[in-house]
Amino acid sequence: MDSRAGFTRREAAINWAFAVPALALMAAVNLLPVWTALSHAAGFRYLAHDARLAASLGNSLTFTVSTVAFETVLGLAFALLLSRPFRGRGLARAAVLVPWALPTAIMAMAWQWIFNAEYGVLGDLLYKAGLVSSPRIAWLASPRGAMAACVLADVWKTTPFMTLLFMGGLANIPDDLYEAAGIDGAGPVRRFFMITLPLLKSTLALAVTFRAIQSFSIFDLVWVLTGGGPGGATQMTALYVYDNVFRYLDLPYACTLTLLMAACLAVLAGTVLGLSRSKEAR
């Protein structure tokens, strides 16, 4: 027993020896911005007077609420549809996941061409359908159009992820519950609100929390599609941090913004999880 205990201690020591370099690197990457921000307290005093920061936070919040709302509704609808047996369901499931599998930067470039004012497919389709008077529409040149384009591209990209999560949650709901509700005379709508939605609350809370964190910290899609324009209308907080590091070379203030962004994400995640738990308690 003593030899076995000694062997276990040696195993633990070896494991820690391999883990220490990775832990040290993670500590350096995560603690360095914190130390840099705390050592320059002036950055925290400037936060309240930074108009561009307030605008970027507003843009991030608008983008997050819009994308998560659409992705949740569409993802749940697709999950309900793909959970039903029909011919070609396997092919349909594979096709739905294609947007999620594509690299975000390449997908954003494709959407940039779709919204192109001169050669864009969207303007040409609307013109041929008789919905607009000219195919040349500068979608990305107006603040509302650029934000709508970012939301649409992200919804197209990430709805399959929500669909996948909801399909997993639906697979855990016993069919006996639906059969019993059907015997009692409950229709599809009533079964959805009485069985499906209550039993999907935990999955719904997880999906919304995860997507809210991702959406609020979005960078690559917006950077490629609009670059934060026009006039900062789509500049998210992550893009503003990037500008402070690489354009303005103000690393201390960028670290301060990073801490603020992390606090916002923590509050956002806590709010979503708190609301879901309060509903479950009721």
Side-chain angles (χ1 to χ4, degrees):
M1 184 177 295
D2 294 338
S3 61
R4 178 58 186 171
F7 184 71
T8 303
R9 286 194 293 269
R10 287 196 300 271
E11 284 185 334
I14 294 174
N15 291 335
W16 275 108
F18 282 109
V20 165
L23 293 175
L25 180 61
M26 292 179 61
V29 171
N30 290 279
L31 295 180
L32 181 60
V34 176
W35 171 256
T36 304
L38 294 178
S39 61
H40 296 78
F44 291 96
R45 294 194 296 268
Y46 185 64
L47 289 176
H49 307 285
D50 191 349
R52 291 189 61 186
L53 172 62
S56 67
L57 288 173
N59 292 335
S60 296
L61 185 60
T62 300
F63 179 83
T64 300
V65 172
S66 301
T67 54
V68 172
F70 281 115
E71 289 163 7
T72 301
V73 174
L74 293 176
L76 183 55
F78 287 140
L80 291 171
L81 179 62
L82 294 175
S83 296
R84 294 178 174 272
F86 60 89
R87 180 176 297 181
R89 184 176 65 171
L91 181 61
R93 288 180 172 181
V96 166
L97 295 178
V98 169
W100 175 249
L102 293 175
T104 304
I106 296 177
M107 181 272 300
M109 292 179 64
W111 279 100
Q112 193 178 46
W113 277 103
I114 291 174
F115 289 112
N116 187 276
E118 296 292 331
Y119 313 105
V121 177
L122 182 59
D124 184 65
L125 290 176
L126 293 177
Y127 176 73
K128 290 181 178 179
L131 300 177
V132 294
S133 58
S134 174
R136 297 182 178 180
I137 304 175
W139 303 97
L140 304 179
S142 64
R144 291 186 177 180
M147 179 61 75
C150 292
V151 170
L152 179 59
D154 189 76
V155 168
W156 183 84
K157 164 72 176 176
T158 320
T159 296
F161 173 74
M162 300 290 275
T163 303
L164 189 63
L165 290 180
F166 290 139
M167 286 176 61
L170 290 173
N172 293 325
I173 300 177
D175 295 333
D176 297 342
L177 297 177
Y178 293 106
E179 294 176 0
I183 294 174
D184 293 337
V189 176
R190 190 176 179 184
R191 290 198 298 266
F192 173 78
F193 285 102
M194 291 182 61
I195 300 175
T196 305
L197 197 57
L199 294 180
L200 276 180
K201 280 185 178 179
S202 58
T203 304
L204 184 64
L206 176 64
V208 170
T209 302
F210 191 79
R211 278 303 303 143
I213 293 175
Q214 281 190 324
S215 296
F216 194 86
S217 56
I218 190 71
F219 175 82
D220 46 1
L221 185 148
V222 180
W223 175 253
V224 175
L225 185 57
T226 65
T234 60
Q235 186 181 52
M236 310 300 172
T237 308
L239 271 71
Y240 188 46
V241 174
Y242 175 88
D243 286 344
N244 276 274
V245 175
F246 296 101
R247 182 176 296 180
Y248 311 131
L249 303 179
D250 192 352
L251 182 60
Y253 188 58
C255 292
T256 304
L257 293 174
T258 303
L259 293 181
L260 175 64
M261 191 172 176
C264 292
L265 293 176
V267 171
L268 184 62
T271 301
V272 175
L273 292 177
L275 290 175
S276 64
R277 290 178 179 177
S278 64
K279 290 181 179 180
E280 288 180 358
R282 293 177 185 175

